[in-house]
Amino acid sequence: MESALQVYIDGNFYPKSEAKISVFDHGLLYGDGIFEGIRAYDGVVFKLKEHIDRLYRSAHMIMLQIPINKEEMIQRTLETLRRNNLKDAYIRLVVTRGKGDLGLNPRRCPKPTIIIITDSIALHGNDAKETGIAALISWVKRDPVDATSHEIKSLNYLNSILAKIEANVWGVDEAIVLDKNGFVCEGVAENIFLVRNEKLCTPPTYTGALHGITAEAVQTLAKKLGYDVKETIITPFQLFNADEVFFTGTASEIIPLREINKRQINDGKPGPITRQLQAEFIKFVRDPKEGIVIYP
Ligand code: PXG
């Protein structure tokens, strides 16, 4: 059946099947652009302002002038959700360098392309959240902060995709990337935490990890629950020997890791602190104070 879903492109709405951009768009030709992945829960867009702020920080770094301001971006996102009658949604904001010629120079692209996709979210089984997933540390190192830094949420995700391919071919659920020095960095689209002696640790962004909005929320929740949280360098040894390890991300939410490179994590079951945070997180994301309400 033809989907009635409407997609926003540069001020207009198009049905999903007609939502198209030029093959000369540098987002396609060179991965020159930025994006955000956001979720709405029961009518509340979780941390929408924070996602928009990060989008504009990414834009600033790559010197891409988004033609509308942050408030307008928020309003257009909400309007797209309302048009599609969505309460629970996955939202994808994309801003590309726009149409240019066959040369990578961004100066030849006069107008950025703005895309807002809102889709219903398939609430897949909670298996992974309850049993945990298996991951491997990939041979692909995270691009350093003085290269195509993943602090920029850019359209250039080949670094993560190479790692994901490794997870696929080795038959595990997800990959972990290290930084150039061999310290733990993050997942392919998730931040990573370990718990040891009831203390939480997560790598700092100078390893090349994205400043995750879910990770920040989890840090806030953990501190509220009285846990010590530190951003610190983590070695693979510390990861293998942690009491608990979990990923955080907009798509994954909080996912426990039961195994890394065939080393079982503790007893191979999601730990008590991971479970406690999962339970708190479910409530947190639906709190209107933690986001923007779609239908006020
Ligand atoms: N690291 C990287 C490299 C990411 O891409 C995260 C960490 C987690 O950040 P947030 O702010 O989401 O907690 C991400 C997030 C997608 C998709 O469709 C990707 C992300 C988020 C949502 C959707 O692939 N990446």
Side-chain angles (χ1 to χ4, degrees):
M1 206 179 70
E2 183 61 26
S3 167
L5 203 81
Q6 298 282 306
V7 177
Y8 174 99
I9 306 174
D10 290 335
N12 299 305
F13 288 92
Y14 303 90
K16 190 175 178 172
S17 60
E18 282 160 39
K20 295 171 185 168
I21 62 161
S22 168
V23 293
F24 292 95
D25 194 298
H26 280 209
L28 172 71
L29 290 177
Y30 300 106
D32 187 358
I34 51 173
F35 79 102
E36 280 297 320
I38 312 167
R39 268 170 88 148
Y41 297 88
D42 203 14
V44 180
V45 187
F46 181 60
K47 300 283 181 197
L48 179 56
K49 281 205 177 96
E50 287 77 359
H51 280 282
I52 300 287
D53 281 344
R54 190 171 65 186
L55 183 77
Y56 281 74
R57 289 203 301 274
S58 294
H60 183 62
M61 171 88 173
I62 68 165
M63 299 184 87
L64 190 160
Q65 190 73 43
I66 302 179
I68 59 175
N69 67 30
K70 289 184 190 178
E71 185 51 35
E72 287 166 328
M73 188 66 87
I74 289 174
Q75 289 314 321
R76 286 171 202 199
T77 304
L78 295 173
E79 190 189 340
T80 311
L81 286 160
R82 289 184 199 124
R83 282 213 177 209
N84 290 303
N85 254 320
L86 290 165
K87 280 179 82 184
D88 292 276
Y90 175 69
I91 303 152
R92 170 65 66 98
L93 302 184
V94 185
V95 186
T96 77
R97 190 74 65 179
K99 246 189 292 184
D101 54 19
L102 294 179
L104 62 77
N105 193 350
R107 286 199 172 142
R108 309 294 281 271
C109 305
K111 189 172 146 280
T113 305
I114 301 176
I115 303 164
I116 306 173
I117 308 170
T118 60
D119 209 341
S120 54
I121 196 145
L123 290 174
H124 44 75
N126 276 330
D127 275 16
K129 290 206 180 95
E130 271 158 34
T131 60
I133 61 170
L136 68 73
I137 297 176
S138 92
W139 60 266
V140 185
K141 299 293 185 287
R142 183 51 96 217
D143 289 327
V145 291
D146 55 353
T148 47
S149 175
H150 274 241
E151 288 173 288
I152 312 166
K153 207 163 160 54
S154 82
L155 297 182
N156 193 326
Y157 256 56
L158 210 45
N159 186 258
S160 275
I161 290 165
L162 281 171
K164 184 73 185 185
I165 288 169
E166 226 45 36
N168 289 347
V169 298
W170 290 103
V172 295
D173 305 295
E174 197 54 289
I176 296 166
V177 289
L178 307 178
D179 69 11
K180 242 168 95 179
N181 297 311
F183 297 117
V184 175
C185 180
E186 60 178 344
V188 301
E190 306 90 2
N191 292 107
I192 193 164
F193 284 78
L194 72 74
V195 182
R196 177 87 176 155
N197 297 331
E198 307 211 323
K199 289 187 169 66
L200 281 78
C201 299
T202 190
T205 56
Y206 61 75
T207 58
L210 178 77
H211 183 97
I213 287 164
T214 318
E216 193 175 336
V218 165
Q219 286 205 31
T220 305
L221 285 177
K223 285 175 192 161
K224 238 193 252 172
L225 294 168
Y227 297 111
D228 192 45
V229 188
K230 250 195 342 219
E231 284 191 9
T232 181
I233 287 296
I234 296 171
T235 65
F237 180 91
Q238 290 171 320
L239 203 60
F240 292 138
N241 289 293
D243 298 334
E244 304 179 30
V245 180
F246 60 86
F247 279 140
T248 64
T250 298
S252 319
E253 301 174 311
I254 301 175
I255 298 253
L257 274 70
R258 63 176 152 76
E259 177 194 299
I260 301 169
N261 294 52
K262 296 289 178 193
R263 276 80 163 173
Q264 183 173 286
I265 303 305
N266 203 350
D267 62 0
K269 297 198 175 68
I273 295 176
T274 308
R275 286 193 164 284
Q276 192 183 10
L277 288 168
Q278 284 175 318
E280 291 299 317
F281 188 75
I282 290 172
K283 291 183 262 169
F284 192 63
V285 294
R286 286 167 179 76
D287 182 346
K289 292 195 297 296
E290 301 301 335
I292 298 187
V293 178
I294 307 169
Y295 309 95

